[in-house]
Amino acid sequence: MEPACRKDKPKLNSTPTRGDRAKQKSAQQEQKQRQRAEIYALNKVMTELEQQQFEAFCKQMQSQGE
């Protein structure tokens, strides 16, 4: 005999399916690729800036030595 106050609740499937896991993994890989591309782009810009500053410093040192 079941209690009258008990309600049948639909079970929520909280475990992700294979397709969901594959989509999530794919999204994570895409995010990593974007982040990596951003890091490489930032590194390139910073390297160029550092080179420009070094060249300016060298010119300044040459003009002071003359």
Side-chain angles (χ1 to χ4, degrees):
M1 189 190 248
E2 294 186 25
C5 63
R6 182 176 167 202
K7 294 182 181 177
D8 289 331
K9 295 181 183 176
K11 291 185 179 180
L12 296 175
N13 194 0
S14 61
T15 57
T17 61
R18 269 191 200 176
D20 291 341
R21 280 184 258 153
K23 287 179 186 177
Q24 188 177 20
K25 188 173 183 179
S26 176
Q28 286 176 343
Q29 287 176 339
E30 288 176 15
Q31 183 182 12
K32 283 182 182 181
Q33 285 178 331
R34 277 194 305 270
Q35 287 176 338
R36 188 175 184 144
E38 288 174 6
I39 289 170
Y40 279 121
L42 181 60
N43 189 31
K44 182 179 177 183
V45 169
M46 295 301 290
T47 301
E48 291 171 355
L49 178 62
E50 184 180 11
Q51 185 64 32
Q52 289 172 1
Q53 289 176 341
F54 178 72
E55 289 171 1
F57 172 76
C58 289
K59 287 180 184 177
Q60 182 184 7
M61 295 305 288
Q62 283 179 347
S63 66
Q64 285 181 358
E66 293 177 356

